[in-house]
Amino acid sequence: MKNLIKKLFEYFPTFVIIPLIFVFSSQSLIYFGTKLINSNMQHHTLITFVDKIAPIIPSFSIIYLGCYIFWVLNYALAGRVNKDYFYDFVSNIFLGYIISGIIFCVFPTYINRPDLNEIHGLGKMFVTYVYNTDTPVNLFPSMHCQISWYCYLAVKGRNQISKWYQYFSLIIAVLVCISTVVIRQHYFLDIVAGVAIAEFTYRLAMKKHFGKPISVFFERINTRLHLN
């Protein structure tokens, strides 16, 4: 066990730990905090032709829930590129979360889910878990799709990451996006918005190097905790 932990720390740089704790904490704060803000506001639906024809596929709930491992792994992999890239990448995530949070507050959305009695087959247990633990609001943009697309962008075109894994990350990101619609957790337009925000903030952060200011903050913490 000790050897496994040692190998993990050798593969994933330790300086990513604190920033990623902040990243995932801010994700929860934005997602659940804005639900309190918009709870008494009028919520909208965004049904399109795609949503009407898309089948319900309960087994995709496994992908929807399992993607959390994908998120942690790929966010950490960004640190293998180099520190400057990693902090630019983290800044892009924070910017995307802020944009999503603002949209949740000014344009809250909801979805009418199907009755669980109408859902059958492999994955129903996981769909039930999703429905029971997450209210059907704060859909546009889809943070599931946004974060999964960030995971693909984190490794895309990076020589430090194997080509096969870059393609694998794209496939997983696409499957996560599909899962949000076929388990009736999101609308098609939520996917479009999530991916669009991810692409916009990533390109902007990489071009303007927004990571420089936050790197100073995190590097001070890492130095004190001996994580550099």
Side-chain angles (χ1 to χ4, degrees):
M1 186 65 179
K2 289 183 178 180
N3 289 333
L4 176 60
I5 295 173
K6 183 179 180 181
K7 288 181 179 180
L8 285 174
F9 278 119
E10 288 176 353
Y11 194 78
F12 296 107
T14 54
F15 70 82
V16 308
I17 297 174
I18 300 302
L20 293 187
I21 289 175
F22 273 77
V23 163
F24 288 110
S25 297
S26 63
Q27 172 192 331
S28 297
L29 179 64
I30 292 292
Y31 184 70
F32 294 106
T34 52
K35 285 186 177 184
L36 298 177
I37 296 174
N38 64 29
S39 60
N40 293 321
M41 297 175 61
Q42 179 183 356
H43 285 59
H44 308 274
T45 58
L46 296 171
I47 301 175
T48 66
F49 173 72
V50 175
D51 302 294
K52 292 179 180 179
I53 65 171
I56 298 176
I57 310 177
S59 58
F60 268 74
S61 60
I62 299 172
I63 298 172
Y64 184 86
L65 291 173
C67 68
Y68 289 93
I69 300 172
F70 176 57
W71 294 354
V72 174
L73 179 62
N74 278 42
Y75 277 12
L77 279 175
R80 283 187 59 81
V81 178
N82 59 60
K83 279 190 176 183
D84 289 339
Y85 174 75
F86 175 74
Y87 286 120
D88 283 341
F89 179 72
V90 169
S91 70
N92 129 80
I93 297 171
F94 284 138
L95 178 59
Y97 287 175
I98 292 171
I99 294 173
S100 296
I102 292 173
I103 296 174
F104 290 156
C105 290
V106 300
F107 188 74
T109 49
Y110 77 98
I111 189 169
N112 288 313
R113 293 166 170 166
D115 191 309
L116 284 171
N117 293 323
E118 300 174 3
I119 298 177
H120 307 281
L122 179 66
K124 179 177 179 177
M125 176 177 68
F126 298 106
V127 174
T128 302
Y129 175 80
V130 172
Y131 285 10
N132 289 339
T133 57
D134 191 17
T135 53
V137 296
N138 277 6
L139 310 177
F140 182 89
S142 166
M143 293 194 80
H144 248 73
C145 298
Q146 182 180 336
I147 296 167
S148 296
W149 204 254
Y150 280 144
C151 288
Y152 165 57
L153 294 175
V155 301
K156 177 186 175 184
R158 298 296 154 183
N159 295 329
Q160 298 85 349
I161 310 297
S162 300
K163 278 287 184 182
W164 73 265
Y165 190 77
Q166 295 182 34
Y167 293 127
F168 174 77
S169 294
L170 173 60
I171 292 171
I172 294 299
V174 171
L175 288 175
V176 171
C177 290
I178 294 173
S179 75
T180 63
V181 170
V182 297
I183 68 168
R184 297 300 188 268
Q185 187 70 358
H186 281 279
Y187 299 112
F188 173 70
L189 290 179
D190 303 337
I191 298 176
V192 176
V195 172
I197 290 174
E199 286 283 350
F200 169 73
T201 59
Y202 179 82
R203 296 182 186 189
L204 183 63
M206 293 301 155
K207 182 178 180 179
K208 300 296 184 180
H209 298 294
F210 289 154
K212 290 182 178 179
I214 67 171
S215 67
V216 175
F217 170 72
F218 285 122
E219 284 298 289
R220 286 178 179 173
I221 297 177
N222 284 335
T223 299
R224 292 185 178 182
L225 296 177
H226 305 289
L227 293 174
N228 277 321

